[in-house]
Amino acid sequence: AQKNNGNAIYDPTGKYIVFISEASHHLAYNIPAEGDPGIGLFSNIWATDPTGTNFWQLTQVAIPLTKTEGIPALAVVNPLFSPDGSKLIWTELYGYTSGGCNDGWGRWRLMEGDFSINNGTPQLTNQHVLFQPKVTQTANNYFTNNYVTAMSFLDANTLIIAGNLSGQHPYGMDQYQLNLNTSQVTDLTNTPDAWEEDSKVSPLNHKIIYMTNIDSPSKLDFCKAWYGQTIQRDYYIMNSDGSNKQKFTYFNDPTAPEFTGFPTIVAESDISPDGKYQIGAIGIKSSDNVAPNGSLKSLSDYLIEFSSPQ
């Protein structure tokens, strides 16, 4: 019924597109935001061809139709192909926390499956948990290790992930390296009060571009919903080991040519294979006196050209 569809990516051959698709019927079908592809509730992963002619469902997440069924409202987001295209990795909401300041954020883990084509039909077999942090509750009533999501491959054995795996609140998530052979996690940013996500690895020099609200004059209230708060975000770039962090967009700086004049956030982005360009999703928020809940005034994709290939 053409509900929410998004998070689309090409497989490395360019013959198939994998994306998140919200079920046409579920218990919250009349609340569009619930199935937003950035959240992924009531959704499964599907594949199509570049013409949008054929469609194939790849995951089988149960979709609750009523509250009395006893089926939890789960989610899938952020599909990501391995460099050789043989594996598909995605993020799954598999359960919920309760009783904490961030109650309702949920428990998340990384899933993996073997992606193959059988007589022209995409298949996702051997679906299994790739990485599931052990959820803990801190003395200040935060749940930690409950959020993780895959961002980009650094190399065939190393994922860049985002999460609250260092004892911080989810709103203070960091960027990490995840060694797929050992499950060892290395924190690259160590900023427990700043939200850092939506990162991509440069195909040329393995630098990491990510969004952060570290420079925002207003900070997130950890006990309130993040989407109702006004905050500013820009893109930063760093080496693959977390060193040499540099800010490289200034949408919120009145002295910069790209200044928008309103609180601005950046989000998901991608880098061209030749390292010359970045496409970034950029949201401009209304001023506080117009929309106290920090709603978006506009949301656009911006083309950023690097002065030298990244």
Side-chain angles (χ1 to χ4, degrees):
Q2 288 304 302
K3 302 285 282 184
N4 282 297
N5 296 277
N7 267 185
I9 57 169
Y10 277 97
D11 82 306
T13 70
K15 296 180 179 179
Y16 299 94
I17 298 170
V18 169
F19 64 101
I20 306 299
S21 184
E22 180 187 3
S24 58
H25 299 287
H26 55 77
L27 63 83
Y29 72 94
N30 59 341
I31 308 176
E34 292 291 325
D36 183 289
I39 300 174
L41 283 167
F42 311 108
S43 301
N44 270 286
I45 297 177
W46 286 66
T48 186
D49 51 54
T51 64
T53 304
N54 301 293
F55 294 86
W56 304 271
Q57 185 173 340
L58 300 181
T59 61
Q60 302 294 329
V61 176
I63 306 296
L65 300 179
T66 66
K67 293 182 179 180
T68 59
E69 292 177 284
I71 300 175
L74 305 181
V76 292
V77 293
N78 294 351
L80 175 67
F81 277 102
S82 61
D84 64 2
S86 65
K87 307 286 186 182
L88 183 71
I89 293 171
W90 66 98
T91 302
E92 178 183 77
L93 169 66
Y94 70 94
Y96 289 88
T97 54
S98 61
C101 183
N102 57 324
D103 185 22
W105 187 262
R107 301 186 180 200
W108 300 78
R109 63 189 178 189
L110 304 183
M111 301 291 293
E112 181 184 60
D114 297 327
F115 184 81
S116 61
I117 308 300
N118 186 8
N119 294 324
T121 300
Q123 295 181 333
L124 191 58
T125 57
N126 187 30
Q127 298 182 30
H128 61 275
V129 176
L130 176 65
F131 177 72
Q132 180 173 312
K134 184 178 180 180
V135 178
T136 59
Q137 190 169 3
T138 65
N140 53 8
N141 214 24
Y142 293 162
F143 286 100
T144 68
N145 302 322
N146 63 310
Y147 182 71
V148 64
T149 187
M151 296 277 87
S152 187
F153 272 90
L154 184 61
D155 55 52
N157 299 309
T158 310
L159 264 178
I160 301 301
I161 62 176
N164 65 328
L165 310 179
S166 302
Q168 75 273 48
H169 189 278
Y171 294 179
M173 70 182 75
D174 284 340
Q175 295 289 294
Y176 301 83
Q177 282 191 20
L178 171 63
N179 186 307
L180 296 178
N181 295 322
T182 65
S183 294
Q184 179 179 349
V185 173
T186 304
D187 196 335
L188 300 178
T189 50
N190 292 293
T191 50
D193 294 323
W195 185 323
E196 291 153 347
E197 200 176 11
D198 291 331
S199 60
K200 284 294 183 292
V201 174
S202 165
L204 296 186
N205 57 23
H206 286 184
K207 289 188 176 182
I208 301 168
I209 292 176
Y210 62 99
M211 69 85 169
T212 177
N213 62 359
I214 194 168
D215 299 314
S216 177
S218 56
K219 305 302 180 182
L220 286 170
D221 185 330
F222 286 176
C223 289
K224 294 182 179 179
W226 59 269
Y227 48 81
Q229 302 184 53
T230 298
I231 204 158
Q232 301 175 7
R233 300 196 302 234
D234 273 288
Y235 291 117
Y236 268 63
I237 189 168
M238 64 181 173
N239 295 335
S240 60
D241 62 357
S243 62
N244 195 28
K245 297 178 179 66
Q246 298 181 50
K247 185 176 182 178
F248 82 93
T249 64
Y250 295 83
F251 294 107
N252 296 287
D253 184 347
T255 66
E258 65 262 39
F259 178 57
T260 66
F262 294 91
T264 299
I265 60 172
V266 299
E268 182 67 33
S269 72
D270 207 353
I271 305 171
S272 61
D274 60 9
K276 293 181 179 180
Y277 303 97
Q278 178 192 11
I279 292 286
I282 298 176
I284 298 175
K285 294 201 169 189
S286 300
S287 59
D288 287 348
N289 62 339
V290 176
N293 64 351
S295 63
L296 288 179
K297 175 184 173 77
S298 66
L299 182 63
S300 306
D301 285 337
Y302 274 58
L303 176 67
I304 297 172
E305 183 176 0
F306 296 115
S307 56
S308 60
Q310 295 296 313

Coordinates of all heavy atoms in Angstrom, one line a residue, residues 126-209:
N126 N 21.0 -18.0 5.9 CA 21.9 -18.0 7.1 C 21.8 -16.7 7.9 O 22.8 -16.2 8.3 CB 23.3 -18.3 6.7 CG 24.2 -18.6 7.8 OD1 23.8 -19.1 8.9 ND2 25.5 -18.2 7.7
Q127 N 20.6 -16.2 8.1 CA 20.4 -15.0 8.9 C 20.8 -15.3 10.4 O 20.2 -16.2 11.0 CB 19.0 -14.5 8.8 CG 18.7 -14.1 7.4 CD 17.3 -13.5 7.2 OE1 16.7 -12.9 8.1 NE2 16.6 -13.7 6.1
H128 N 21.6 -14.5 11.0 CA 22.1 -14.7 12.4 C 22.5 -13.4 13.0 O 22.8 -12.4 12.3 CB 23.2 -15.8 12.4 CG 24.4 -15.3 11.6 ND1 24.6 -15.5 10.3 CD2 25.6 -14.7 12.0 CE1 25.7 -15.0 9.9 NE2 26.3 -14.5 10.9
V129 N 22.7 -13.5 14.3 CA 23.2 -12.3 15.1 C 24.7 -12.2 14.8 O 25.4 -13.1 15.1 CB 22.9 -12.4 16.6 CG1 23.5 -11.3 17.4 CG2 21.4 -12.5 16.8
L130 N 25.1 -11.0 14.4 CA 26.5 -10.8 14.2 C 27.2 -10.2 15.4 O 28.3 -10.5 15.8 CB 26.7 -9.8 13.0 CG 28.1 -9.3 12.7 CD1 29.0 -10.5 12.3 CD2 28.1 -8.2 11.7
F131 N 26.5 -9.2 16.1 CA 27.0 -8.6 17.3 C 25.9 -8.1 18.1 O 25.0 -7.3 17.7 CB 27.9 -7.4 16.9 CG 28.5 -6.6 18.1 CD1 29.5 -7.2 18.9 CD2 28.0 -5.4 18.3 CE1 30.0 -6.5 19.9 CE2 28.5 -4.6 19.4 CZ 29.5 -5.2 20.2
Q132 N 25.8 -8.5 19.4 CA 24.8 -8.1 20.3 C 25.4 -7.7 21.7 O 25.9 -8.5 22.4 CB 23.8 -9.2 20.6 CG 22.6 -8.8 21.5 CD 21.5 -9.9 21.6 OE1 21.1 -10.4 20.6 NE2 21.1 -10.3 22.8
P133 N 25.5 -6.4 21.9 CA 26.0 -5.9 23.2 C 25.2 -6.4 24.4 O 24.0 -6.6 24.3 CB 26.0 -4.4 23.1 CG 25.7 -4.1 21.6 CD 25.0 -5.3 21.1
K134 N 25.9 -6.6 25.5 CA 25.2 -7.0 26.7 C 24.7 -5.7 27.4 O 25.4 -4.9 27.9 CB 26.2 -7.7 27.7 CG 25.5 -8.2 28.9 CD 26.5 -9.0 29.8 CE 25.8 -9.5 31.1 NZ 26.7 -10.3 32.0
V135 N 23.4 -5.6 27.5 CA 22.7 -4.4 28.1 C 23.0 -4.3 29.6 O 22.8 -5.3 30.3 CB 21.2 -4.5 27.8 CG1 20.5 -3.2 28.4 CG2 20.9 -4.5 26.3
T136 N 23.3 -3.1 30.0 CA 23.5 -2.9 31.4 C 22.8 -1.6 31.8 O 22.5 -0.8 31.0 CB 25.0 -2.7 31.8 OG1 25.6 -1.6 31.0 CG2 25.8 -4.0 31.5
Q137 N 22.5 -1.4 33.1 CA 21.9 -0.2 33.7 C 22.8 0.4 34.6 O 23.4 -0.2 35.6 CB 20.6 -0.6 34.3 CG 19.7 0.6 34.7 CD 18.3 0.3 35.1 OE1 17.9 -0.9 35.1 NE2 17.5 1.3 35.3
T138 N 23.1 1.7 34.5 CA 24.0 2.4 35.3 C 23.4 2.9 36.5 O 22.1 2.9 36.7 CB 24.6 3.6 34.5 OG1 23.6 4.5 34.2 CG2 25.2 3.1 33.2
A139 N 24.2 3.5 37.5 CA 23.7 4.0 38.7 C 22.8 5.2 38.5 O 21.9 5.5 39.3 CB 24.9 4.4 39.6
N140 N 23.0 6.0 37.4 CA 22.1 7.1 37.2 C 20.9 6.8 36.3 O 20.3 7.6 35.7 CB 22.9 8.3 36.5 CG 23.7 7.8 35.3 OD1 23.5 6.7 34.8 ND2 24.5 8.7 34.7
N141 N 20.6 5.5 36.3 CA 19.4 5.0 35.7 C 19.4 5.1 34.1 O 18.4 5.2 33.5 CB 18.2 5.6 36.2 CG 17.0 4.7 36.3 OD1 17.1 3.5 36.3 ND2 15.8 5.3 36.3
Y142 N 20.6 5.0 33.5 CA 20.7 4.9 32.1 C 20.9 3.5 31.7 O 21.5 2.7 32.4 CB 21.9 5.7 31.5 CG 21.8 7.2 31.7 CD1 23.0 8.0 31.6 CD2 20.6 7.9 31.9 CE1 22.9 9.4 31.7 CE2 20.6 9.3 32.0 CZ 21.7 10.0 31.9 OH 21.7 11.4 32.1
F143 N 20.4 3.1 30.5 CA 20.7 1.8 29.9 C 21.9 2.1 29.0 O 21.8 3.0 28.1 CB 19.5 1.2 29.2 CG 18.5 0.7 30.1 CD1 17.3 1.4 30.4 CD2 18.6 -0.6 30.7 CE1 16.4 0.9 31.3 CE2 17.7 -1.1 31.6 CZ 16.5 -0.3 31.8
T144 N 22.9 1.3 29.0 CA 24.0 1.3 28.1 C 24.2 0.0 27.4 O 23.7 -1.0 27.8 CB 25.3 1.7 28.9 OG1 25.7 0.6 29.7 CG2 25.2 2.9 29.8
N145 N 24.9 0.1 26.3 CA 25.1 -1.1 25.5 C 23.8 -1.6 24.8 O 23.7 -2.7 24.4 CB 25.8 -2.3 26.2 CG 27.1 -1.9 26.8 OD1 27.9 -1.2 26.2 ND2 27.4 -2.4 28.0
N146 N 22.8 -0.7 24.9 CA 21.5 -1.1 24.3 C 21.3 -0.6 22.9 O 20.4 -1.1 22.2 CB 20.3 -0.6 25.2 CG 20.3 0.9 25.3 OD1 21.3 1.5 25.5 ND2 19.1 1.4 25.0
Y147 N 22.2 0.3 22.4 CA 22.1 0.7 21.0 C 23.3 0.5 20.3 O 24.4 0.9 20.8 CB 21.7 2.2 21.0 CG 21.5 2.7 19.5 CD1 20.4 2.2 18.8 CD2 22.4 3.5 18.9 CE1 20.2 2.6 17.5 CE2 22.2 3.9 17.6 CZ 21.1 3.4 16.9 OH 21.0 3.8 15.6
V148 N 23.2 -0.1 19.1 CA 24.4 -0.2 18.2 C 23.8 -0.3 16.8 O 22.7 -0.8 16.5 CB 25.2 -1.5 18.5 CG1 24.3 -2.7 18.3 CG2 26.4 -1.5 17.7
T149 N 24.5 0.3 15.8 CA 24.1 0.3 14.4 C 25.3 0.3 13.5 O 26.3 0.9 13.9 CB 23.1 1.4 14.1 OG1 22.6 1.2 12.7 CG2 23.8 2.8 14.2
A150 N 25.3 -0.5 12.4 CA 26.4 -0.5 11.5 C 26.4 0.7 10.6 O 25.3 1.1 10.0 CB 26.3 -1.8 10.7
M151 N 27.5 1.3 10.4 CA 27.6 2.5 9.6 C 28.3 2.2 8.2 O 27.8 2.6 7.2 CB 28.4 3.6 10.4 CG 27.7 4.1 11.6 SD 26.5 5.3 11.4 CE 25.0 4.4 11.1
S152 N 29.5 1.7 8.3 CA 30.3 1.5 7.0 C 31.5 0.6 7.3 O 31.9 0.4 8.4 CB 30.9 2.9 6.6 OG 31.5 2.9 5.4
F153 N 31.9 -0.1 6.2 CA 33.1 -1.0 6.3 C 34.4 -0.2 6.2 O 34.5 0.6 5.3 CB 33.0 -2.1 5.2 CG 32.3 -3.3 5.6 CD1 30.9 -3.4 5.4 CD2 32.9 -4.4 6.3 CE1 30.2 -4.5 5.7 CE2 32.2 -5.5 6.6 CZ 30.9 -5.6 6.3
L154 N 35.3 -0.4 7.2 CA 36.6 0.2 7.1 C 37.5 -0.7 6.2 O 38.2 -0.3 5.3 CB 37.3 0.3 8.4 CG 38.6 1.0 8.5 CD1 38.6 2.4 7.9 CD2 39.1 1.0 9.9
D155 N 37.4 -2.0 6.4 CA 38.0 -3.0 5.5 C 37.1 -4.3 5.7 O 36.1 -4.3 6.3 CB 39.4 -3.3 5.9 CG 39.6 -3.7 7.3 OD1 39.0 -4.6 7.8 OD2 40.5 -3.0 8.0
A156 N 37.5 -5.4 5.1 CA 36.7 -6.6 5.0 C 36.4 -7.1 6.4 O 35.4 -7.8 6.6 CB 37.4 -7.7 4.2
N157 N 37.3 -6.8 7.4 CA 37.1 -7.4 8.7 C 36.8 -6.4 9.8 O 36.7 -6.7 11.0 CB 38.4 -8.1 9.1 CG 38.7 -9.3 8.2 OD1 37.9 -10.1 7.9 ND2 39.9 -9.3 7.7
T158 N 36.6 -5.1 9.4 CA 36.3 -4.1 10.4 C 35.2 -3.2 10.0 O 35.1 -2.7 8.9 CB 37.6 -3.2 10.5 OG1 38.8 -4.0 10.7 CG2 37.4 -2.2 11.7
L159 N 34.2 -3.1 10.9 CA 33.1 -2.2 10.7 C 33.2 -0.9 11.5 O 33.7 -1.0 12.7 CB 31.8 -2.9 11.2 CG 30.9 -3.7 10.2 CD1 29.8 -4.4 10.9 CD2 30.4 -2.8 9.1
I160 N 32.8 0.2 11.0 CA 32.5 1.4 11.8 C 31.1 1.3 12.2 O 30.2 1.2 11.4 CB 32.8 2.6 11.0 CG1 34.3 2.6 10.5 CG2 32.6 3.9 11.8 CD1 35.3 2.6 11.5
I161 N 30.9 1.4 13.5 CA 29.6 1.3 14.1 C 29.3 2.5 15.0 O 30.3 3.2 15.4 CB 29.4 0.0 14.9 CG1 30.3 -0.1 16.1 CG2 29.5 -1.2 14.0 CD1 30.1 -1.3 17.0
A162 N 28.1 2.8 15.3 CA 27.7 3.8 16.3 C 26.9 3.2 17.4 O 26.2 2.2 17.2 CB 26.9 4.9 15.7
G163 N 27.1 3.7 18.6 CA 26.4 3.1 19.8 C 26.8 3.7 21.1 O 27.6 4.6 21.1
N164 N 26.1 3.3 22.1 CA 26.5 3.7 23.5 C 27.1 2.6 24.2 O 26.7 2.1 25.3 CB 25.2 4.2 24.2 CG 24.2 3.1 24.5 OD1 24.0 2.2 23.7 ND2 23.5 3.3 25.6
L165 N 28.3 2.2 23.7 CA 29.0 1.0 24.2 C 30.1 1.3 25.2 O 30.8 0.5 25.6 CB 29.6 0.3 23.0 CG 28.6 0.0 21.9 CD1 29.4 -0.8 20.8 CD2 27.5 -0.8 22.3
S166 N 30.2 2.6 25.7 CA 31.2 3.0 26.6 C 30.6 3.5 27.9 O 31.2 4.3 28.6 CB 32.1 4.1 26.0 OG 32.7 3.7 24.8
G167 N 29.4 3.1 28.2 CA 28.8 3.5 29.5 C 28.0 4.8 29.4 O 27.5 5.3 30.5
Q168 N 27.8 5.3 28.2 CA 27.0 6.6 28.1 C 25.6 6.4 27.7 O 25.2 5.3 27.3 CB 27.7 7.5 27.1 CG 27.5 7.2 25.6 CD 28.5 6.2 25.1 OE1 28.8 5.1 25.7 NE2 29.1 6.5 23.9
H169 N 24.8 7.4 27.8 CA 23.4 7.4 27.4 C 23.4 7.3 25.8 O 24.3 7.7 25.1 CB 22.8 8.8 27.8 CG 21.3 8.9 27.6 ND1 20.7 9.2 26.3 CD2 20.3 8.7 28.4 CE1 19.4 9.2 26.5 NE2 19.1 8.9 27.7
P170 N 22.3 6.8 25.2 CA 22.3 6.7 23.8 C 22.4 8.0 23.1 O 23.0 8.0 21.9 CB 20.9 6.0 23.5 CG 20.6 5.3 24.7 CD 21.2 6.1 25.9
Y171 N 22.0 9.1 23.7 CA 22.1 10.4 23.0 C 23.6 10.8 23.0 O 23.9 11.8 22.3 CB 21.3 11.5 23.8 CG 19.8 11.3 23.8 CD1 19.0 12.2 24.4 CD2 19.2 10.3 23.1 CE1 17.6 12.1 24.4 CE2 17.8 10.1 23.1 CZ 17.0 11.0 23.8 OH 15.7 10.9 23.8
G172 N 24.4 10.1 23.7 CA 25.9 10.4 23.6 C 26.6 9.4 22.9 O 27.8 9.2 23.2
M173 N 26.0 8.8 21.9 CA 26.7 7.6 21.2 C 27.9 8.1 20.5 O 28.1 9.2 20.0 CB 25.7 7.0 20.2 CG 25.3 7.9 19.0 SD 24.2 7.1 17.9 CE 22.6 7.3 18.8
D174 N 28.9 7.2 20.5 CA 30.2 7.4 19.9 C 30.3 6.6 18.6 O 29.5 5.8 18.2 CB 31.3 7.0 20.8 CG 31.5 8.0 21.9 OD1 31.1 9.1 21.8 OD2 32.1 7.6 23.0
Q175 N 31.4 6.8 17.9 CA 31.8 6.1 16.7 C 32.9 5.0 17.2 O 33.8 5.4 17.9 CB 32.4 6.9 15.6 CG 31.4 7.9 15.0 CD 30.4 7.2 14.2 OE1 30.7 6.7 13.1 NE2 29.1 7.3 14.6
Y176 N 32.8 3.8 16.7 CA 33.6 2.7 17.1 C 34.1 1.9 15.9 O 33.5 1.9 14.9 CB 32.9 1.7 18.0 CG 32.3 2.3 19.3 CD1 31.1 3.0 19.3 CD2 33.0 2.2 20.5 CE1 30.5 3.5 20.5 CE2 32.5 2.7 21.7 CZ 31.2 3.3 21.7 OH 30.7 3.9 22.8
Q177 N 35.3 1.3 16.1 CA 35.7 0.2 15.2 C 35.2 -1.1 15.9 O 35.4 -1.3 17.1 CB 37.2 0.2 15.1 CG 37.8 1.2 14.1 CD 39.2 0.9 13.8 OE1 39.7 -0.2 14.0 NE2 39.9 1.9 13.3
L178 N 34.6 -2.0 15.0 CA 34.3 -3.3 15.5 C 35.0 -4.3 14.7 O 34.9 -4.4 13.5 CB 32.8 -3.6 15.3 CG 32.3 -5.0 15.5 CD1 32.5 -5.5 17.0 CD2 30.8 -5.2 15.2
N179 N 35.9 -5.1 15.4 CA 36.7 -6.2 14.7 C 35.8 -7.4 14.6 O 35.3 -8.0 15.6 CB 37.9 -6.5 15.5 CG 38.8 -7.5 14.8 OD1 38.4 -8.6 14.4 ND2 40.1 -7.2 14.7
L180 N 35.4 -7.8 13.3 CA 34.5 -8.8 13.1 C 35.1 -10.2 13.4 O 34.3 -11.2 13.6 CB 34.0 -8.8 11.6 CG 33.2 -7.6 11.2 CD1 32.9 -7.6 9.7 CD2 32.0 -7.4 12.1
N181 N 36.4 -10.3 13.5 CA 37.0 -11.6 13.9 C 37.0 -11.8 15.4 O 36.9 -13.0 15.9 CB 38.4 -11.7 13.4 CG 38.5 -11.7 11.9 OD1 37.6 -12.3 11.2 ND2 39.5 -11.0 11.3
T182 N 37.2 -10.8 16.2 CA 37.3 -10.9 17.6 C 36.2 -10.3 18.4 O 36.1 -10.5 19.6 CB 38.6 -10.2 18.1 OG1 38.5 -8.8 17.8 CG2 39.8 -10.8 17.3
S183 N 35.3 -9.5 17.7 CA 34.2 -8.7 18.4 C 34.7 -7.6 19.3 O 34.0 -7.1 20.1 CB 33.3 -9.6 19.2 OG 32.5 -10.5 18.3
Q184 N 36.0 -7.3 19.2 CA 36.6 -6.2 20.0 C 36.1 -4.9 19.5 O 36.1 -4.6 18.3 CB 38.1 -6.2 19.9 CG 38.8 -5.1 20.7 CD 40.3 -5.2 20.7 OE1 40.9 -6.2 20.2 NE2 41.0 -4.1 21.1
V185 N 35.8 -4.0 20.4 CA 35.2 -2.7 20.1 C 36.2 -1.6 20.5 O 36.7 -1.6 21.7 CB 33.9 -2.5 20.8 CG1 33.4 -1.0 20.6 CG2 32.8 -3.4 20.2
T186 N 36.5 -0.6 19.7 CA 37.4 0.5 20.0 C 36.7 1.8 19.8 O 36.2 2.1 18.7 CB 38.7 0.4 19.1 OG1 39.3 -0.9 19.2 CG2 39.6 1.5 19.5
D187 N 36.6 2.6 20.9 CA 35.9 3.9 20.8 C 36.8 4.9 20.1 O 38.0 5.1 20.5 CB 35.6 4.3 22.2 CG 34.6 5.5 22.3 OD1 34.5 6.2 21.3 OD2 33.9 5.6 23.3
L188 N 36.3 5.5 19.0 CA 37.1 6.5 18.3 C 36.9 7.9 18.6 O 37.7 8.8 18.3 CB 36.8 6.3 16.8 CG 37.1 4.9 16.1 CD1 36.6 4.9 14.7 CD2 38.5 4.6 16.3
T189 N 35.8 8.2 19.3 CA 35.4 9.6 19.6 C 35.4 10.0 21.1 O 35.8 11.1 21.5 CB 34.1 10.0 18.9 OG1 33.1 9.0 19.3 CG2 34.2 10.0 17.4
N190 N 34.9 9.1 21.9 CA 34.9 9.3 23.4 C 34.3 10.7 23.8 O 34.9 11.5 24.5 CB 36.4 9.2 23.9 CG 36.9 7.8 23.8 OD1 36.5 6.9 24.5 ND2 37.9 7.6 23.0
T191 N 33.1 10.9 23.3 CA 32.4 12.2 23.6 C 31.0 11.8 24.2 O 30.1 11.8 23.4 CB 32.3 13.1 22.4 OG1 31.8 12.3 21.3 CG2 33.6 13.6 22.0
P192 N 30.9 11.5 25.5 CA 29.7 10.9 26.0 C 28.5 11.9 26.0 O 27.4 11.5 26.3 CB 30.1 10.5 27.4 CG 31.3 11.4 27.8 CD 32.0 11.5 26.5
D193 N 28.8 13.2 25.8 CA 27.7 14.2 25.8 C 27.3 14.6 24.4 O 26.4 15.5 24.2 CB 28.1 15.4 26.6 CG 28.2 15.1 28.1 OD1 27.4 14.2 28.6 OD2 29.1 15.6 28.7
A194 N 27.9 14.0 23.4 CA 27.6 14.4 22.0 C 27.2 13.2 21.2 O 27.7 12.1 21.3 CB 28.9 15.0 21.3
W195 N 26.2 13.4 20.3 CA 25.6 12.4 19.5 C 26.4 12.3 18.2 O 26.4 13.3 17.4 CB 24.1 12.7 19.2 CG 23.3 11.7 18.5 CD1 23.7 10.9 17.5 CD2 21.9 11.4 18.7 NE1 22.7 10.1 17.0 CE2 21.6 10.4 17.8 CE3 21.0 11.9 19.6 CZ2 20.3 9.9 17.7 CZ3 19.7 11.4 19.5 CH2 19.3 10.4 18.6
E196 N 27.0 11.2 17.9 CA 27.8 11.0 16.7 C 27.4 9.8 16.0 O 27.5 8.7 16.5 CB 29.3 11.0 17.1 CG 29.8 12.3 17.6 CD 31.0 12.2 18.5 OE1 31.3 11.1 19.0 OE2 31.6 13.3 18.8
E197 N 26.9 10.0 14.8 CA 26.3 8.8 14.0 C 26.4 9.2 12.5 O 27.1 10.1 12.1 CB 24.8 8.6 14.4 CG 24.3 7.2 14.1 CD 22.9 7.1 14.6 OE1 22.2 8.0 15.0 OE2 22.4 5.9 14.5
D198 N 25.8 8.4 11.7 CA 25.7 8.6 10.2 C 27.0 8.8 9.6 O 27.3 9.8 8.9 CB 24.8 9.8 10.0 CG 23.3 9.5 10.3 OD1 22.9 8.4 10.2 OD2 22.6 10.5 10.6
S199 N 28.0 7.9 9.8 CA 29.3 8.0 9.3 C 29.5 7.2 8.0 O 28.8 6.2 7.8 CB 30.3 7.6 10.4 OG 30.1 6.2 10.7
K200 N 30.4 7.6 7.2 CA 30.8 6.9 6.0 C 32.4 6.9 5.9 O 33.0 7.9 6.4 CB 30.3 7.6 4.8 CG 28.8 7.3 4.5 CD 28.6 5.8 4.2 CE 27.1 5.5 3.9 NZ 26.2 5.7 5.1
V201 N 32.9 5.9 5.4 CA 34.4 5.8 5.2 C 34.7 6.1 3.8 O 34.1 5.7 2.8 CB 34.8 4.3 5.5 CG1 36.3 4.2 5.2 CG2 34.6 4.0 7.0
S202 N 35.7 7.0 3.6 CA 36.1 7.4 2.3 C 36.7 6.2 1.6 O 37.6 5.5 2.1 CB 37.2 8.5 2.4 OG 37.9 8.7 1.2
P203 N 36.4 6.0 0.3 CA 36.9 4.9 -0.5 C 38.4 5.1 -0.8 O 39.0 4.1 -1.2 CB 36.1 4.9 -1.7 CG 35.5 6.3 -1.9 CD 35.4 6.8 -0.5
L204 N 38.9 6.3 -0.7 CA 40.3 6.5 -1.1 C 41.3 6.5 0.0 O 42.3 5.8 -0.1 CB 40.4 7.9 -1.8 CG 39.6 8.1 -3.1 CD1 40.0 9.4 -3.8 CD2 39.9 6.9 -4.1
N205 N 41.0 7.2 1.1 CA 42.0 7.3 2.2 C 41.5 6.7 3.5 O 42.2 6.9 4.5 CB 42.5 8.7 2.4 CG 41.3 9.7 2.6 OD1 40.3 9.2 3.1 ND2 41.5 10.9 2.3
H206 N 40.3 6.1 3.5 CA 39.8 5.5 4.8 C 39.5 6.5 5.9 O 39.3 6.1 7.0 CB 40.6 4.4 5.2 CG 40.5 3.1 4.4 ND1 41.2 2.0 4.7 CD2 39.9 2.9 3.2 CE1 40.9 1.1 3.8 NE2 40.1 1.6 2.9
K207 N 39.4 7.8 5.6 CA 39.0 8.7 6.6 C 37.5 8.6 6.8 O 36.8 8.1 6.0 CB 39.3 10.2 6.2 CG 40.8 10.5 6.2 CD 41.1 12.0 6.0 CE 42.6 12.3 6.1 NZ 42.8 13.7 5.9
I208 N 37.1 8.9 8.0 CA 35.7 8.8 8.4 C 35.0 10.1 8.5 O 35.5 11.0 9.2 CB 35.6 8.0 9.8 CG1 36.3 6.6 9.7 CG2 34.2 7.9 10.2 CD1 36.5 6.0 11.0
I209 N 33.9 10.3 7.8 CA 33.1 11.5 7.9 C 31.8 11.1 8.7 O 31.2 10.1 8.5 CB 32.7 12.0 6.5 CG1 33.9 12.5 5.8 CG2 31.6 13.1 6.6 CD1 33.7 12.9 4.4

